[in-house]
């Protein structure tokens, strides 16, 4: 009798063990159909407008970041990457120097024209846009904005901003033939030697031109600009 009872007990275990394992897998969520959550992306169109009479904007560095950046500060020396952008018009060094969530090179942007890029990041993240570009017919000028907070933009909404013009403080503003890049002049771009009257970033005083009395200048007054010549528009497109 004792052995018979043991045998019946073993049969019961073998009968119900597969059901228990199946129930355990269901309870633990065991499944081959798992799908990761979908990340909703926020997309921004950044449009640069050149409203000057004859200045050419070089390709721009456009960056989208989740934290504020420090690309330049008035009264502080320009970084080597910013110096290259402000003297040669190339955004490559500045783009490479920043670990951004998304970035792009836009341009060049002719007088009277606009240029746009699309940047995106997860919609749940803070969003700051920065950009910089060189007015080509300057020695070391650049236009730019830093850390525009676009996190609150709703789909279809836009922000419009006038863009300040800065002097990198890395090259003397002689406006001479051999120191200005660009198709109308074809002079030198980047030079590692800094020979400006100061070695720090300031607001740009504007092109003087030989019409304005700068005897070293090869530019006429049509290359002048003011602080309202360049615009930025940011639109939430997704």
């Amino acid at each position: 009798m004792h052995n018979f009872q043991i045998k019946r007990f073993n049969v019961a275990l073998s009968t119900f063990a597969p059901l228990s394992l199946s129930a355990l897998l269901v309870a633990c969520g065991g499944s081959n159909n798992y799908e990761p959550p979908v990340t909703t992306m926020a997309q921004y169109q950044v449009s640069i407008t050149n409203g000057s009479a004859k200045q050419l904007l070089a390709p721009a560095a456009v960056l989208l970041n989740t934290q504020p950046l420090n690309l330049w500060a008035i009264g502080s020396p320009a970084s080597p990457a910013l110096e290259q952008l402000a003297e040669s018009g190339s955004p490559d060094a500045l783009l490479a120097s920043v670990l951004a969530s998304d970035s792009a090179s836009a341009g060049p942007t002719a007088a009277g024209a606009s240029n746009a890029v699309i940047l995106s990041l997860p919609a749940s993240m803070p969003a700051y846009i920065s950009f910089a570009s060189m007015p080509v017919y300057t020695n070391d000028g650049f236009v730019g904005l830093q850390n525009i907070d676009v996190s609150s933009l709703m789909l279809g909404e836009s922000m419009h901003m006038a863009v300040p013009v800065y002097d990198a403080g890395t090259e003397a503003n002689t406006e001479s033939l051999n120191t200005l890049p660009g198709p109308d002049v074809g002079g030198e771009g980047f030079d590692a030697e800094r020979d400006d009257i100061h070695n720090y970033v300031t607001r740009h005083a504007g092109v003087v031109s030989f019409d304005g009395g700068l005897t070293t200048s090869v530019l006429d007054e049509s290359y002048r600009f003011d602080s309202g010549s360049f615009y930025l528009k940011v639109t939430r497109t997704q």
Side-chain angles (χ1 to χ4, degrees), residues 178-231:
N178 64 326
T179 64
L180 294 179
D184 291 356
V185 183
E188 182 184 54
F190 172 69
D191 185 340
E193 181 182 355
R194 299 192 177 192
D195 62 354
D196 208 339
I197 58 175
H198 47 67
N199 183 24
Y200 53 84
V201 175
T202 63
R203 292 295 289 267
H204 204 288
V207 167
V208 178
S209 78
F210 63 76
D211 293 327
L214 183 59
T215 58
T216 57
S217 179
V218 294
L219 304 176
D220 61 40
E221 64 180 5
S222 66
Y223 291 92
R224 292 177 181 172
F225 54 84
D226 59 30
S227 58
S229 294
F230 310 102
Y231 306 88

Side-chain angles (χ1 to χ4, degrees), residues 85-162:
L85 179 141
E87 292 186 15
S88 72
S90 172
D92 294 347
L94 192 64
L95 288 170
S97 70
V98 178
L99 183 61
S101 300
D102 198 4
S103 62
S105 175
T109 309
S114 296
N115 227 323
V117 298
I118 299 290
L119 301 176
S120 60
L121 51 58
S124 60
M125 304 293 288
Y128 298 92
I129 285 176
S130 301
F131 107 100
S133 174
M134 177 193 186
V136 169
Y137 303 112
T138 65
N139 286 97
D140 60 343
F142 69 97
V143 298
L145 286 165
Q146 294 188 88
N147 306 320
I148 308 161
D149 188 350
V150 296
S151 307
S152 62
L153 281 180
M154 303 299 289
L155 183 63
E157 287 187 334
S158 298
M159 297 174 65
H160 304 255
M161 294 144 284

